[in-house]
Amino acid sequence: MNFGAAITDAEGLRLSSEETALFRDMNPFGFILFARNIESSDQVRALCDDFREAVGRNCPITIDQEGGRVQRLRAPLAREWLPPLDHASAAGDQAERAMYLRYRLIARELFELGIDSNCAPMVDVARDETHEFLKNRCYGTDPKVISRIGRAVAQGHLDGGVLPVLKHIPGHGRATLDSHYDLPHVDLGLEDLKSQDFAPFHALNDLPLGMTAHLVYDRIDPQPATISAAMIRLIRDEIGFDGLIMTDDISMKALSGSLADLSRQSLDAGCDVVLHCNGSFDERVEVLQAAGEMTQAAQSRAERALAMRKPPQELDIDAAEAELSALMGGQVYER
């Protein structure tokens, strides 16, 4: 039987019997954690065990641990990092190595808790007009520099036994609205997009997992990219990404329609997996039922992605922290 074509979450610190039964029956591909799911190290490990026992396999468990504003694990469970743009800027021409070390340490924190995926690197290209919800989460303004830093971030995860999720494909940096609440539009031709916004994703098109962007590219398709067959074809054919494509959270207000309809529309457009976050139990049921099982093509991509999970390499934490501090003149963590 193929995996269920969804990634979902849980209400609290441990699975309820109702959630366990749902996940056993629907077999979602994986799960995602939020702050409400995190209390202590032992509790997070136990919740990860709950997820895997429910589906009867070593399913991927992911999280948003970019550092800065977007990090679900906080002190004392994890380091409190500078925002990515501040970190990369402070490191200057040492940004690739500094960001590798940052995410190698983050991967260590995640793996020790049973979390084996992270929603990073985020290689959206920052601009003056980029909305504040996104801007300081970016790595810079130059697509070539962002591509190199994104590769270092991805390698830091992989060396730590954690699968990276490339986002927000094919590019969210021109958004002047917050897609959690509104639908951004981009009115720019394909050639300009290819040379700028799409370029870092093309450079990283060999990564195992990618997450869509909820915005409209008006000159390509009037539909949001997540539910646009034209945009998913562009991601596959122009950008060359053949990894597993998950939607950004299907419940974000950038999209309109029922969760069931949006789930089917995104899969019909060519996404492989529906990501659904922060819903009620009944909404989880709705998404999981609408998503159904993966297609055979999606299943093959999922299996290739999971095959990239490797045991973490040895890491001298003290040496890594000392090197990172030296690269950044001591400005590493939030004060």
Side-chain angles (χ1 to χ4, degrees):
M1 183 176 71
N2 286 359
F3 303 139
I7 295 171
T8 190
D9 57 358
E11 181 62 33
L13 301 175
R14 297 292 299 271
L15 291 190
S16 67
S17 58
E18 197 174 33
E19 288 172 325
T20 299
L22 174 66
F23 299 152
R24 182 187 61 239
D25 293 343
M26 301 305 297
N27 190 31
F29 171 62
F31 299 92
I32 186 168
L33 297 177
F34 289 89
R36 68 176 183 278
N37 305 125
I38 295 164
E39 183 179 72
S40 69
S41 298
D42 288 344
Q43 170 270 318
V44 173
R45 292 188 195 97
L47 177 58
C48 290
D49 288 343
D50 286 349
F51 285 133
R52 292 180 171 120
E53 288 171 8
V55 297
R57 57 187 166 82
N58 185 23
C59 62
I61 298 173
T62 195
I63 195 168
D64 285 299
Q65 193 72 1
E66 298 172 7
R69 284 185 295 114
V70 179
Q71 61 174 84
R72 311 306 181 196
L73 292 169
R74 295 283 178 179
L77 294 185
R79 298 164 178 83
E80 296 279 352
W81 295 96
L82 293 170
L85 186 58
D86 296 351
H87 188 125
S89 298
D93 60 6
Q94 298 298 314
E96 289 174 58
R97 181 61 179 171
M99 292 288 273
Y100 170 85
L101 291 167
R102 168 193 176 106
Y103 286 95
R104 182 66 181 84
L105 289 164
I106 286 174
R108 168 74 175 237
E109 293 170 340
L110 299 181
F111 190 85
E112 288 189 337
L113 294 175
I115 303 164
D116 60 0
S117 174
N118 190 22
C119 295
M122 196 189 87
V123 296
D124 302 313
V125 180
R127 291 178 174 79
D128 290 343
E129 67 271 21
T130 302
H131 193 281
E132 291 305 311
F133 99 93
L134 190 80
K135 191 167 186 177
N136 73 352
R137 298 163 57 194
C138 299
Y139 303 159
T141 59
D142 182 327
K144 292 182 179 179
V145 172
I146 293 166
S147 299
R148 293 195 296 268
I149 293 174
R151 177 65 66 185
V153 169
Q155 196 61 51
H157 284 95
L158 291 167
D159 289 350
V162 172
L163 289 176
V165 179
L166 180 67
K167 65 184 187 186
H168 301 87
I169 192 168
H172 213 313
R174 293 186 190 271
T176 58
L177 299 173
D178 183 347
S179 55
H180 291 86
Y181 306 105
D182 299 289
L183 179 60
H185 285 251
V186 174
D187 184 20
L188 202 66
L190 180 58
E191 290 308 311
D192 288 330
L193 289 167
K194 286 168 63 175
S195 66
Q196 294 291 313
D197 303 68
F198 299 171
F201 296 96
H202 184 272
L204 298 173
N205 64 13
D206 59 328
L207 292 186
L209 303 164
M211 178 188 290
T212 64
H214 291 333
L215 73 168
V216 174
Y217 298 87
D218 289 303
R219 300 194 196 179
I220 301 173
D221 192 330
Q223 292 272 38
T226 297
I227 58 173
S228 164
M231 290 306 305
I232 302 303
R233 282 197 302 272
L234 183 150
I235 291 168
R236 295 299 191 197
D237 298 340
E238 293 283 347
I239 292 175
F241 184 81
D242 194 36
L244 188 83
I245 296 178
M246 67 179 73
T247 71
D248 203 346
D249 179 11
I250 207 74
S251 68
M252 288 165 62
K253 303 306 180 188
L255 304 179
S256 58
S258 72
L259 291 171
D261 286 346
L262 291 169
S263 297
R264 286 311 321 164
Q265 288 170 21
S266 65
L267 295 171
D268 289 345
C271 292
D272 297 309
V273 181
V274 177
L275 174 65
H276 176 239
C277 311
N278 301 310
S280 67
F281 179 80
D282 288 344
E283 288 171 333
R284 292 188 191 99
V285 173
E286 180 182 358
V287 169
L288 288 167
Q289 289 181 341
E293 288 187 15
M294 284 185 177
T295 65
Q296 193 55 55
Q299 181 76 18
S300 295
R301 293 187 187 105
E303 290 171 356
R304 289 203 308 268
L306 294 179
M308 291 186 69
R309 292 188 297 190
K310 305 295 182 184
Q313 298 178 11
E314 291 294 325
L315 178 68
D316 185 327
I317 294 176
D318 290 340
E321 288 197 314
E323 182 184 356
L324 182 57
S325 181
L327 290 174
M328 298 184 61
Q331 186 183 8
V332 176
Y333 305 116
E334 289 280 20
R335 302 305 182 197

